[in-house]
């Protein structure tokens, strides 16, 4: 064992150089040199937030002929996808476009960004990612930003009631210390900007630093200017510039306001309040040094302020909010308007937004708001990701989640959010599959675009992911004795919860959700039937032989030739019964059989021209038809339906065990869930045979 103490060993893990970088301080002259080298350290809050999102990278893809940009920042890869946002790329594109316009000062920097959507649609998570991202970005080299403090010699400490240092209470940009009347001229004259380099792909950048100092720093600045008879250079010698680290916990650069009871709401929570203890030191309640700049607008300067359920704000707060958005100023009690630089973002639900539309007193707020709809997910695969992230083998120990359990829950949730299609030949389940990227005869990408366009409120209603997560959790902690949870257990839990669901407002809605559960159950039945069929017919050699036989017959048929019987050696007519038994499995009508057979031969011929050999696995439709044909041929020999009886002979049991092992190996089942699925599918076939009888 090491002779070093544990404290010493733990201390060795510290990165001292990083600590020094994050706590850098220097003169104003040194800071100007840093700005000349990299003007982007003097960015506005909107510029910094936009750059932060872009720095994580982007990915472009096409969805139904629409070019979509996915911003990797919202995948939260830095934290292993802990707060990842799924299926909302279009909504997030709109949000980033607003930030881009604000960064370029096209007007949206003077607006409230309002995230609007149903409960549980990720509004809070998006803001949490932005706040967390700002904290981490401010600690990186690319996201570094700086503020300042006054460092006064002993003879001048009477300005700060004996304090050696006085920090800028609103963490302002140090360039604001250059008086406004010659600030822009100084930036231009002394090269505190980046002219850009088109060849290197670097865009020009000029720091935008409007407005006056905050009242407290303005007071000290003016007092020092009077002492030094207007010599700005001597005043600046008392300035120490330091690195600013955005932190929600320390209330630096991030503010959060959450409305409380109307009787307890106070505007000073936003703009700060007088420090009555300090009045005795400074002699007046109008002395800015006796003011606490600790309102949420004050602490959020240079960063972001979040308004939780913003539309529940009391009207008394409305005027502060309007000034902060349009004028970029706040009005602290007994002081002049004070400049701020921060992103204002709020979120609200559907009911509160409806109230806003009805309230004429809120028209000014509506006019200063950029609304971004954050709907529920309407793509099945994206919804599944939410539940897989929370309920996977690493997180769920001691309970096995059977295949398709999370999928059916996600399917039901998405179905509840979709509007019934107006096309009579399309079901809501088929619509879900089209949205999920599946292809269907008679529907093109343009058709899917049209479906989305006609359903204007799609995703704004339906079942919340939280409801599904609660029911999954109930199943996992259930003491009913099951070793695993399966789709039926979860669907039963989802259905029983509908009786007391607080967000269901009508019996018709409850009825519709139950009907959609029935649709989901039927789809699950089809899925497991297909899996068991594939497991039974998973003999690749048998499929290959069947395919070769089929192709030989199709070739002879299309070329009007005969087929040599490999057993008798005689030439015979193509086996029409064999060909049709395969083709009917994928709904090839009698009238279309010639076209399909020619299509297969053309496909094989095209591959031959390229020097490639035909492989039935590459033709999905043919592969499916061969599997189904082989299943039909083999299911009787396996006697799957015997599973529903109490007696199974040894030969059948051996064959069933082989199928079970294929389910475990190829489809992710465990021993128990594979047995359950086989028994269930056997009961389906048994019902089918009884109907046939």
């Amino acid at each position: 064992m090491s002779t070093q103490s544990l404290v010493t060993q733990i201390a060795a893990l510290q990165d001292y150089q990083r600590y020094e970088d994050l706590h850098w301080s220097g003169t104003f002259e040194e800071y100007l040199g840093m700005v000349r080298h990299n003007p982007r350290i003097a960015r506005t809050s909107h510029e910094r937030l936009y750059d932060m999102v872009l720095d994580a990278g982007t990915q472009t893809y096409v969805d139904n002929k629409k070019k979509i940009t996915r911003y990797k920042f919202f995948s939260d890869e830095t934290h292993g996808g802990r707060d990842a946002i799924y299926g909302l790329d279009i909504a997030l594109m709109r949000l980033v476009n607003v930030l881009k316009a604000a960064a370029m000062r096209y007007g949206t920097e003077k607006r409230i960004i309002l995230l609007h959507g149903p409960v549980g649609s990720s509004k809070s998570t998006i803001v949490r990612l932005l706040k967390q991202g700002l904290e981490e970005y401010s600690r990186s080299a690319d996201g570094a930003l700086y503020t300042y403090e006054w460092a006064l010699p002993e003879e001048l400490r009477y300005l700060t009631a004996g304090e050696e240092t006085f920090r800028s209470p609103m963490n302002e940009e140090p360039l604001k210390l250059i008086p406004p009347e010659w600030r822009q001229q100084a930036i231009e004259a002394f090269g505190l900007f980046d002219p850009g380099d088109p060849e290197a792909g670097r865009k020009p950048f000029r720091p935008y630093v409007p407005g006056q100092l905050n009242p407290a720093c303005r007071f000290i600045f003016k007092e020092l200017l009077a002492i030094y008879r207007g010599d700005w250079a001597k005043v600046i010698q008392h300035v120490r510039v330091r690195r600013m680290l955005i932190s929600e916990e320390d209330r630096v650069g991030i503010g959060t306001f959450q409305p409380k009871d109307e009787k307890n709401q106070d505007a000073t929570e936003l703009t700060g309040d007088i420090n009555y203890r300090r009045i005795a030191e400074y002699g007046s309640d109008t002395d800015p040094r006796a003011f606490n700049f600790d309102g949420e607008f004050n602490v959020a300067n240079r960063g972001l302020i979040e308004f939780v359920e913003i539309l529940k704000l009391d009207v008394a707060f409305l005027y502060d909010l309007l000034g902060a958005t349009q004028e970029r100023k706040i009005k602290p009690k007994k002081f002049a308007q004070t400049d701020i630089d921060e992103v204002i973002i709020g979120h609200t639900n559907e009911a509160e937004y409806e109230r806003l539309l009805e309230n004429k007193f809120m028209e000014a707020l509506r006019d200063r708001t950029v609304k971004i709809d954050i709907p529920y997910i309407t793509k099945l695969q994206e919804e599944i990701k939410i539940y897989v992230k929370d309920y996977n083998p690493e997180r769920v120990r001691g309970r096995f989640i059977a295949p398709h359990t999370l999928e059916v829950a996600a399917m039901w949730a998405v179905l509840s959010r979709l509007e019934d299609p107006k096309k009579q030949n399309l079901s809501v389940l088929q619509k879900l599959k089209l949205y999920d990227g599946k292809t269907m005869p008679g529907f093109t990408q343009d058709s899917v675009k049209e479906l989305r366009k006609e359903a204007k409120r799609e995703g704004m209603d339906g079942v919340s992911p939280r409801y599904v997560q609660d029911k999954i959790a109930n199943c996992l902690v259930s003491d009913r004795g099951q070793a695993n949870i399966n789709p039926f257990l979860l669907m039963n839990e989802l259905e029983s919860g509908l009786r007391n669901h607080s967000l269901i407002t009508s019996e018709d809605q409850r009825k519709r959700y139950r009907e959609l559960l029935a649709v989901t159950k039927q789809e699950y039945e089809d899925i497991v039937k297909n899996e068991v069929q594939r497991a039974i017919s998973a003999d690749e050699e048998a499929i290959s032989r069947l395919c070769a036989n089929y192709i030989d017959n199709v070739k002879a048929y299309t070329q009007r030739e005969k087929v040599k019987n490999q057993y008798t050696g005689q030439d015979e007519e193509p086996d029409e019964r064999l060909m049709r038994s395969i083709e009917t499995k994928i709904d090839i009508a009698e009238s279309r059989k010639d076209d399909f057979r020619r299509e297969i031969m053309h496909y094989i011929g095209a591959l031959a021209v390229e020097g490639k050999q035909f492989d039935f696995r590459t033709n999905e439709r043919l592969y499916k038809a061969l599997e189904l044909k082989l299943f039909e041929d083999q299911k009787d020999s396996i006697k799957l339906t015997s599973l529903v009886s109490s007696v199974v002979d040894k030969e059948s049991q051996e064959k069933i065990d082989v199928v079970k092992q294929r389910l475990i190996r190829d489809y992710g089942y465990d021993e128990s869930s594979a047995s359950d699925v086989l028994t269930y599918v056997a009961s389906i076939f048994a019902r089918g045979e009884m109907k046939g009888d």
Side-chain angles (χ1 to χ4, degrees):
M1 184 175 173
S2 172
T3 56
Q4 286 184 313
S5 71
L6 285 174
V7 170
T8 306
Q9 292 178 62
I10 292 170
L13 301 174
Q14 184 177 357
D15 186 340
Y16 290 98
Q17 184 57 53
R18 177 168 169 76
Y19 182 86
E20 289 293 323
D21 290 342
L22 295 181
H23 293 83
W24 178 92
S25 69
T27 64
F28 190 74
E29 180 77 37
E30 288 173 314
Y31 180 67
L32 291 176
M34 291 165 66
V35 175
R36 179 180 282 176
H37 176 70
N38 178 19
R40 300 193 74 83
I41 62 175
R43 285 170 287 189
T44 65
S45 57
H46 288 90
E47 287 170 336
R48 184 168 289 103
L49 195 65
Y50 176 63
D51 287 348
M52 173 194 79
V53 172
L54 284 193
D55 278 8
T58 60
Q59 180 184 351
T60 304
Y61 65 96
V62 176
D63 181 29
N64 293 310
K65 296 187 177 180
K66 185 172 184 176
K67 186 179 177 184
I68 310 290
T69 300
R70 175 177 290 136
Y71 292 95
K72 294 181 180 179
F73 172 82
F74 296 103
S75 299
D76 196 25
E77 292 174 2
T78 310
H79 304 99
R82 183 180 64 206
D83 279 330
I85 307 291
Y86 301 113
L88 296 176
D89 290 336
I90 293 175
L92 294 172
M93 270 178 65
R94 292 177 184 138
L95 171 61
V96 176
N97 283 341
V98 170
L99 293 177
K100 181 178 181 180
M104 301 177 83
R105 295 188 290 283
Y106 288 161
T108 51
E109 74 280 7
K110 298 179 180 179
R111 304 286 181 268
I112 300 166
I113 300 171
L114 179 64
L115 306 183
H116 159 259
V119 293
S121 64
S122 301
K123 302 183 296 293
S124 301
T125 307
I126 290 169
V127 181
R128 185 165 64 248
L129 276 172
L130 292 173
K131 293 193 294 186
Q132 174 186 274
L134 270 178
E135 288 186 354
E136 294 172 0
Y137 193 55
S138 72
R139 287 161 173 74
S140 70
D142 291 335
L145 71 160
Y146 298 82
T147 184
Y148 64 90
E149 62 190 15
W150 298 99
L152 300 172
E154 196 168 342
E155 63 271 19
L156 295 177
R157 288 179 194 167
Y158 66 89
L159 293 173
T160 56
E163 296 290 332
E164 183 180 345
T165 59
F166 184 87
R167 289 191 169 192
S168 168
M170 290 177 58
N171 295 306
E172 289 173 317
E173 163 59 48
L175 290 182
K176 285 184 81 172
L177 290 161
I178 304 173
E181 53 268 27
W182 33 277
R183 188 181 299 155
Q184 201 56 40
Q185 182 185 346
I187 289 172
E188 294 290 336
F190 303 108
L192 305 179
F193 65 92
D194 183 356
D197 184 351
E199 291 185 7
R202 202 173 73 245
K203 295 179 180 178
F205 177 82
R206 276 173 171 71
Y208 177 67
V209 192
Q212 296 280 359
L213 297 172
N214 67 78
C217 289
R218 182 173 165 78
F219 176 87
I220 293 174
F221 181 87
K222 289 179 74 174
E223 290 292 313
L224 287 172
L225 206 61
I227 290 169
Y228 291 118
R229 297 181 179 277
D231 191 334
W232 177 81
K234 288 184 178 178
V235 172
I236 290 301
Q237 287 176 2
H238 295 290
V239 171
R240 294 290 298 176
V241 177
R242 59 183 179 81
R243 182 100 178 244
M244 174 182 168
L245 302 178
I246 290 177
S247 168
E248 184 174 17
E249 288 186 356
D250 297 331
R251 300 190 77 219
V252 177
I254 292 177
T256 304
F257 186 80
Q258 188 164 356
K260 302 175 185 67
D261 183 84
E262 288 184 13
K263 295 176 183 176
N264 296 324
Q265 289 190 27
D266 186 351
T268 59
E269 292 181 55
L270 286 177
T271 55
D273 199 4
I274 294 167
N275 186 334
Y276 292 96
R277 190 173 57 83
R278 287 269 171 128
I279 292 173
E281 295 176 20
Y282 296 114
S284 171
D285 63 356
T286 59
D287 191 311
R289 295 167 296 174
F291 190 86
N292 288 334
F293 291 89
D294 60 356
E296 298 303 326
F297 274 131
N298 306 108
V299 301
N301 196 42
R302 311 285 304 287
L304 177 150
I305 182 169
E306 173 192 12
F307 282 90
V308 179
E309 295 295 346
I310 187 171
L311 299 183
K312 289 180 181 174
L313 274 177
D314 187 66
V315 177
F317 290 82
L318 184 62
Y319 305 107
D320 287 315
L321 193 55
L322 295 180
T325 53
Q326 186 64 35
E327 308 302 328
R328 313 301 293 164
K329 294 176 187 289
I330 56 173
K331 178 67 175 67
K333 188 189 293 185
K334 296 197 175 186
F335 294 101
Q337 287 192 321
T338 301
D339 293 284
I340 58 170
D341 167 30
E342 57 201 67
V343 178
I344 302 174
I345 189 164
H347 42 92
T348 190
N349 58 40
E350 189 85 1
E352 294 296 333
Y353 189 73
E354 290 297 324
R355 281 176 55 192
L356 172 68
L357 295 177
E358 294 168 6
N359 190 343
K360 291 185 178 179
F361 294 105
M362 291 288 200
E363 283 186 0
L365 181 64
R366 289 212 310 267
D367 191 47
R368 289 166 172 80
T369 297
V370 177
K371 180 172 75 78
I372 298 169
D373 287 336
I374 307 296
Y376 288 136
I377 294 170
T378 55
K379 275 191 173 183
L380 176 60
Q381 293 307 315
E382 297 296 320
E383 182 77 7
I384 291 171
K385 289 176 185 176
I386 295 176
Y387 310 126
V388 170
K389 179 182 72 174
D390 292 332
Y391 307 104
N392 55 64
E394 289 182 10
R395 294 201 62 189
V396 178
R397 299 181 183 276
R399 297 297 293 272
F400 180 77
I401 300 176
H404 308 298
T405 303
L406 303 180
E407 181 185 342
V408 296
M411 185 182 298
W412 176 67
V414 172
L415 283 171
S416 74
R417 302 163 190 169
L418 300 182
E419 295 181 16
D420 289 329
K422 293 177 182 176
K423 292 181 171 59
Q424 292 183 345
N425 62 336
L426 189 70
S427 70
V428 70
L429 180 64
Q430 289 171 319
K431 186 180 187 181
L432 175 143
K433 291 179 179 180
L434 285 171
Y435 279 9
D436 206 38
K438 303 290 190 296
T439 56
M440 286 174 54
F443 289 92
T444 63
Q445 290 185 344
D446 288 329
S447 309
V448 179
K449 279 179 71 176
E450 192 62 36
L451 284 170
R452 287 194 181 278
K453 196 177 291 184
E454 69 184 23
K456 293 181 179 172
R457 277 192 52 79
E458 206 155 60
M460 300 303 283
D461 300 295
V463 173
S464 160
R466 287 184 192 143
Y467 175 78
V468 177
Q469 288 167 323
D470 290 345
K471 299 309 165 191
I472 295 171
N474 284 355
C475 283
L476 286 170
V477 299
S478 167
D479 55 0
R480 293 172 190 158
Q482 293 94 348
N484 55 52
I485 69 167
N486 61 48
F488 284 109
L489 280 174
L490 182 52
M491 283 190 279
N492 290 339
E493 186 70 36
L494 291 169
E495 186 167 11
S496 64
L498 292 176
R499 286 195 293 270
N500 305 311
H501 196 316
S502 58
L503 295 177
I504 294 179
T505 54
S506 71
E507 198 56 42
D508 286 344
Q509 193 179 32
R510 190 175 283 108
K511 181 184 174 186
R512 180 173 181 267
Y513 288 169
R514 287 199 175 106
E515 288 170 351
L516 292 174
L517 264 172
V519 171
T520 305
K521 285 177 182 175
Q522 183 59 54
E523 179 64 15
Y524 171 64
E525 189 174 294
D526 292 342
I527 289 170
V528 290
K529 272 170 60 180
N530 182 260
E531 279 185 350
V532 170
Q533 287 170 350
R534 287 191 152 196
I536 289 173
S537 59
D539 186 341
E540 291 284 309
E541 286 185 21
I543 295 178
S544 183
R545 287 194 300 272
L546 181 61
C547 180
N549 195 4
Y550 174 73
I551 295 296
D552 285 345
N553 279 277
V554 167
K555 181 182 176 185
Y557 177 85
T558 54
Q559 296 180 2
R560 292 185 171 83
E561 296 174 349
K562 292 193 175 184
V563 180
K564 185 180 286 292
N565 187 311
Q566 57 181 330
Y567 300 110
T568 65
Q570 295 179 341
D571 290 334
E572 298 175 353
E573 292 294 325
D575 191 342
E576 182 66 20
R577 187 176 176 183
L578 170 74
M579 291 187 287
R580 289 304 292 150
S581 67
I582 292 170
E583 291 158 359
T584 53
K585 297 293 181 290
I586 48 174
D587 300 323
I588 303 297
E590 180 75 23
S591 58
R592 280 215 61 247
K593 68 179 184 182
D594 288 3
D595 293 337
F596 181 74
R597 292 169 188 176
R598 279 194 291 269
E599 184 185 313
I600 292 291
M601 294 315 296
H602 288 155
Y603 177 62
I604 294 170
L607 287 172
V609 170
E610 295 174 10
K612 296 177 183 175
Q613 195 168 358
F614 172 71
D615 184 343
F616 60 87
R617 296 176 195 84
T618 61
N619 190 309
E620 192 175 337
R621 292 182 75 203
L622 181 58
Y623 192 11
K624 182 181 178 183
L626 293 166
E627 279 187 327
L628 289 171
K629 166 62 176 167
L630 195 61
F631 169 73
E632 286 290 326
D633 293 345
Q634 293 187 354
K635 76 169 182 178
D636 291 333
S637 66
I638 288 179
K639 295 179 183 174
L640 191 61
T641 50
S642 62
L643 268 173
V644 295
S645 69
S646 57
V647 181
V648 182
D649 63 76
K650 184 180 178 184
E651 185 183 352
S652 291
Q653 186 61 55
E654 287 174 354
K655 290 180 179 179
I656 287 167
D657 287 342
V658 169
V659 174
K660 192 187 295 184
Q661 290 308 311
R662 286 173 182 167
L663 285 171
I664 294 169
R665 183 193 67 201
D666 299 336
Y667 298 102
Y669 290 87
D670 68 349
E671 186 77 25
S672 174
S673 60
S675 296
D676 289 345
V677 160
L678 278 172
T679 304
Y680 174 61
V681 173
S683 70
I684 296 172
F685 288 126
R687 290 200 306 267
E689 287 177 6
M690 286 170 66
K691 285 178 186 176
D693 293 341

